[in-house]
Amino acid sequence: MTEVSGRTYFCTAGGGLEKILAEEVKSKLGAEDVCQVSGKVLFRTSAGMDALRQLKSAERLFLLVRREAPVALPAHTCPAKAASLLQSKLLGDGSQWGDTVVTWRRLQGETESCGSSVQRAAAAPRQQRKTDSSGDEGSQGNDGVNGEQRYGKKRKKDGGEADGDGEGMEQVASPPPEVTSPPPGVTFRVNCKLSGPLSRCLTSQDLSRAIGSGLCRLLGWKVELRTPQLEVNVYLSGDHSIVGIPLTRLPLASRTYMRSTGLRSTVAWALGSLASIQLKKLQAVPVPSTHPPPQEPELQAGTQPPPPPQEPELQAALQPTPPPQEPELQAGPQPPLPLPLSSLQLQSTHR
């Protein structure tokens, strides 16, 4: 991994976002040798950390240490033997690890320099306001002349010290010596993720313990689980074996401007890229309103709207059926109606 050919990295991505991440890496970084595997995209580029941190569809960014073919263990292999075989295959002779750690330290230095420049740019206006306010308070003092004299003497003194420091810096200024091997006091921890047939042979804790002991023996590193200087991540599955070192403590998917949880940032970026939405472009999004929709004038007056026209068959089906009627009496002599009781009494008195 030389500076001319660039360095090899890999990023983790959500399921189904590997193609979008590969296109973003090619367009933004001019990456070469882009390779997609399940949940990861490997690429080689000479871009700096400032450009790498601008990837929007990546979850995490790693510096690639080793990439091996899928490991196939014999059936019924004991966990101790499986861990030993994987340790010898993933660690190698240790020379590649030294070069990778040197590159990792350089990239960390780039990250710190970018962060310090941003902090200085943000703190410059505040420092200027403090200087202006202190100057105004000094000019309003009673002993203005003496204050100016003391300020002039102090300024001359500071100027002399600054000139002396500048001369010393000119004499000492020289490029720092290039480090060729990592220091032996590096603290680290190992995180392993197993999937596929390997997860049935041993656990991730057993493999982490085996790789950690091998690194301590090869490079003289020290294990620190709480606050390590670097972290070694191992991904083993049925189609790839990848070892890398993360370059950032926080994932690239974390957004400082997102205060509430919603759609995941990588998924939102993928949707925006598929919809061809560019940066700083306004996009109208329909939002449901809390106010009721406007009504028509006849509905506001309280009148009911006329019913819509219906088909004849439907109208006949909706009409109410008349009640059943009694059958008509048959034609013929009608029987006499019974007389009331009062008329019968009158007829008997006349007789």
Side-chain angles (χ1 to χ4, degrees), residues 22 26 32-37 40-44 67:
K26 292 178 182 178
E32 300 176 354
D33 300 338
V34 181
C35 179
Q36 303 178 31
V37 295
K40 299 168 188 64
V41 175
L42 295 89
F43 57 94
R44 181 170 55 85
R67 182 189 179 188

Side-chain angles (χ1 to χ4, degrees), residues 6 48 63 71 81 86 89 108 124 162 182 221 225 232 235 240 243 245 283 292 298 322 327 331 344-345:
L63 179 63
V71 180
K81 186 176 181 180
L86 291 174
K89 187 175 183 62
Q108 292 298 310
W221 293 358
L225 300 179
V232 179
Y235 296 93
H240 64 268
V243 182
I245 300 176
Q283 187 73 17
E298 56 270 12
L344 293 176
Q345 291 179 356

Side-chain angles (χ1 to χ4, degrees), residues 10 39 49 56 65 72 152 154 176 194 272 293 295 297 339:
F10 73 92
M49 281 297 299
K56 299 298 183 180
V65 180
K154 185 177 180 181
L194 303 177
Q295 298 181 354
L339 297 175

Side-chain angles (χ1 to χ4, degrees), residues 194-201 236-238:
L194 303 177
S195 60
L198 293 176
S199 60
R200 306 187 189 98
C201 299
L236 298 180
S237 67

Side-chain angles (χ1 to χ4, degrees), residues 170-188:
E170 292 179 358
Q171 295 175 0
V172 180
S174 61
E178 190 171 327
V179 182
T180 57
S181 61
V186 175
T187 59
F188 74 103

